[in-house]
Amino acid sequence: MSNHQKFYIDGKWVDPAAPKLLDVIDPSTEEAYTQISVGAKADVDRAVAAAKAAFPTFSLTTKEERLALLRRILEVYNERYEDIAQAVSYENGSPISWARDAQAWAGRAHMESTIKALEDYEFSERRGTTMVVKEPIGVCALITPWNWPLNQIVCKVAPAIAAGCTMVLKPSEVAPISGIVFSEVMDAAGVPKGVYNMVNGTGSDVGQVMAGHPDVDMVSFTGSTRAGIIVAKTAADTVKRVAQELGGKSANIILPDADFERAVRKGVEGCFGNSGQSCDAPTRMLVPAARHDEALEIAKKSAESHKVGDPRSEDTKLGPVVSEIQFNKIQGLIEKGIAEGATLVTGGPGRPEHLNRGYYVRPTVFGHVKPGMTIEKEEIFGPVLSVVSYEDEDDAVKIANDTVYGLAAYVQSKNIEHARAVALRLRAGQVSINYPEWDTFAPFGGYKQSGNGREYADWAIHDFLEIKGIIGYGE
């Protein structure tokens, strides 16, 4: 716990400029289990100054030097793997098995993918007598969320280092401990001072200051669309690049020729994974109207098989949602679904009957959800599935695309050519066919109000680079 109340700036663990503490709540007990310091403008200024001072040297390092650094970081990350998993389990309520197999794994997998992408990446290209050069953009502000902390930290830090950038990270103040452990990893790996800096704090007191800072060249933000709009407006005054991965309301189209039992069951599991707290979760299940009731029977059985309970138990499938704010929001939307006439198939308001404390949500399935209902339009961010009927394929595509979001979409069919044709019609940055394995080399990012820019592997490295054309470079 020695670093919980410190920031990591210029290669050292430091105290905040002005003492201010914030409780970190264990969502399974609703009680504080530690405290962090929260920063302010003076802390951001100090961290940005360190990153700015480190940039001229680090930006000129070779690809081989940066690869060696990333490999050292990965080695130390693996040494601290269990500490990272435990931190995520306590701070955001992930069942410990999920924290190990998904949360901590995601950070490792993205580090490995970035290393592989950098090995093959070319930073210059000859076009006749012109040399096109890709150079690091500069000092980067990295703002990450609480729902997939290691996934999003590594998805930003690793490609920024690969590109030769320096950075300041602000983890979510709701789930900050995994970010502190990650900073300990960076320190132990010998990252040059000033290249990586970390300041904890709120979005308004730290995140917005970073976004508007004149010495920050780029902001990479993951979070809600509402917060993303604020970040973009704040960054606009200094005309810096802003890459955003925001909200989603992803449709899962189950075509008539799909393996229906499997498609519905795995659709429920995909929606409920991480307690429903994934921006790309398949939260709208679109099924043929003639098979709607059949889908509800399968979904009900699947939902009720999800064991909800203590995240420290190895056999728990769903832990609590992250906070009281999220719990109350989800409860309000469940009640809204009932009030607007959707059929409550299973679950509903309140905690599961065997739990009397903690931010636990009952795994919930709604049927006969109509396009335009609140639960069909708004991102719920909890284990709540909406099942929607469609009349034909054109109707399914129309419903799927009728949203302000465009982060992800899903298609299920026994006919791969059929599924591919539907996938091409969906307005989303990533479309998954027949529940494939997670691909950390695929581009990840959104259309419309789900953001801009792309993360993962070489796609992410590209976002941290500027393009320079040197004309008359010669043969």
Side-chain angles (χ1 to χ4, degrees):
M1 291 180 59
S2 60
N3 294 320
H4 284 195
Q5 295 176 16
K6 295 181 180 294
F7 303 147
Y8 188 75
I9 298 176
D10 205 23
K12 300 183 293 292
W13 289 98
V14 301
D15 293 322
K20 185 179 181 181
L21 296 177
L22 178 70
D23 288 341
V24 181
I25 305 299
D26 177 346
S28 69
T29 65
E30 305 180 39
E31 296 176 357
Y33 73 97
T34 189
Q35 291 181 313
I36 60 164
S37 292
V38 290
K41 183 178 183 300
D43 303 293
V44 174
D45 287 343
R46 184 178 177 185
V48 171
K52 183 179 179 180
F55 180 73
T57 298
F58 191 69
S59 64
L60 296 178
T61 54
T62 65
K63 182 170 81 169
E64 288 68 29
E65 288 174 313
R66 299 196 297 278
L67 277 168
L69 177 57
L70 288 170
R71 290 174 182 134
R72 289 200 303 274
I73 294 168
L74 176 59
E75 181 181 355
V76 180
Y77 186 100
N78 286 330
E79 292 171 0
R80 297 293 304 274
Y81 195 90
E82 181 64 19
D83 295 335
I84 290 166
Q86 291 288 341
V88 176
S89 184
Y90 274 93
E91 69 189 4
N92 81 356
S94 285
I96 187 59
S97 59
W98 179 267
R100 291 191 189 107
D101 298 342
Q103 294 277 6
W105 171 87
R108 179 172 66 194
H110 285 297
M111 189 68 71
E112 292 170 342
S113 299
T114 303
I115 290 169
K116 175 59 178 172
L118 181 57
E119 288 172 346
D120 301 331
Y121 204 89
E122 297 294 336
F123 287 88
S124 61
E125 174 190 349
R126 292 291 292 268
R127 294 195 175 189
T129 60
T130 293
M131 177 67 79
V132 179
V133 181
K134 299 174 183 178
E135 299 182 336
I137 193 169
V139 175
C140 300
L142 313 178
I143 303 172
T144 58
W146 48 260
N147 60 323
W148 283 93
L150 275 305
N151 182 79
Q152 290 310 132
I153 288 173
V154 178
C155 276
K156 299 182 191 304
V157 170
I161 287 176
C165 296
T166 59
M167 66 213 71
V168 181
L169 170 71
K170 188 200 89 66
S172 169
E173 71 277 17
V174 177
I177 305 306
S178 57
I180 292 172
V181 178
F182 181 82
S183 298
E184 292 172 349
V185 168
M186 299 293 277
D187 183 58
V191 176
K193 70 174 190 175
V195 169
Y196 169 86
N197 306 273
M198 187 278 295
V199 177
N200 273 314
T202 65
S204 57
D205 291 337
V206 173
Q208 279 184 252
V209 176
M210 289 165 60
H213 202 289
D215 290 331
V216 167
D217 301 290
M218 175 184 174
V219 182
S220 181
F221 172 85
T222 299
S224 69
T225 297
R226 177 196 60 78
I229 292 169
I230 295 171
V231 166
K233 287 181 175 179
T234 304
D237 287 343
T238 45
V239 199
K240 55 172 61 76
R241 183 182 301 171
V242 179
Q244 298 176 314
E245 192 264 285
L246 307 176
K249 190 68 179 177
S250 302
N252 182 10
I253 300 177
I254 300 179
L255 294 169
D257 59 0
D259 179 340
F260 206 72
E261 172 87 26
R262 177 181 183 274
V264 173
R265 175 177 52 80
K266 290 189 72 66
V268 172
E269 292 172 358
C271 177
F272 288 178
N274 205 39
S275 296
Q277 299 171 124
S278 297
C279 47
D280 61 346
T283 54
R284 292 185 295 151
M285 181 179 289
L286 276 53
V287 300
R291 304 187 73 176
H292 192 103
D293 289 343
E294 179 187 354
L296 297 188
E297 289 180 12
I298 300 167
K300 181 177 189 293
K301 183 178 178 180
S302 179
E304 291 175 354
S305 72
H306 283 68
K307 180 182 177 182
V308 182
D310 183 358
R312 258 64 76 188
S313 173
E314 295 284 349
D315 62 348
T316 292
K317 197 162 187 178
L318 288 184
V321 296
V322 75
S323 67
E324 182 178 14
I325 290 173
Q326 289 299 121
F327 178 83
N328 290 337
K329 175 191 172 186
I330 295 163
Q331 296 302 312
L333 285 166
I334 291 173
E335 291 169 356
K336 190 81 168 178
I338 296 170
E340 291 184 359
T343 300
L344 180 63
V345 177
T346 189
R351 296 183 183 86
E353 293 176 1
H354 65 288
L355 297 165
N356 59 15
R357 70 170 183 168
Y359 305 125
Y360 294 96
V361 174
R362 298 173 69 189
T364 297
V365 175
F366 280 104
H368 305 103
V369 176
K370 304 297 183 185
M373 283 185 174
T374 302
I375 57 171
E376 193 269 339
K377 302 294 283 187
E378 291 191 17
E379 186 175 37
I380 299 175
F381 234 58
V384 181
L385 176 68
S386 296
V387 182
V388 184
S389 291
Y390 65 84
E391 296 301 324
D392 55 29
E393 191 170 300
D394 288 342
D395 188 39
V397 171
K398 179 182 177 182
I399 294 168
N401 288 337
D402 185 19
T403 171
V404 298
Y405 298 113
L407 185 59
Y410 302 78
V411 182
Q412 319 307 324
S413 172
K414 289 180 181 177
N415 185 327
I416 189 64
E417 294 296 334
H418 188 190
R420 289 169 179 165
V422 173
L424 289 172
R425 301 177 66 188
L426 298 175
R427 299 286 295 166
Q430 191 175 92
V431 183
S432 297
I433 295 174
N434 293 332
Y435 306 113
E437 293 295 318
W438 193 348
D439 185 354
T440 56
F441 289 91
F444 184 74
Y447 287 20
K448 299 186 279 187
Q449 291 187 28
S450 287
N452 50 62
R454 292 295 181 269
E455 294 187 321
Y456 295 14
D458 54 313
W459 305 99
I461 296 172
H462 178 78
D463 267 10
F464 287 91
L465 296 168
E466 288 281 23
I467 308 298
K468 176 186 288 181
I470 305 176
I471 305 168
Y473 191 88
E475 296 298 336

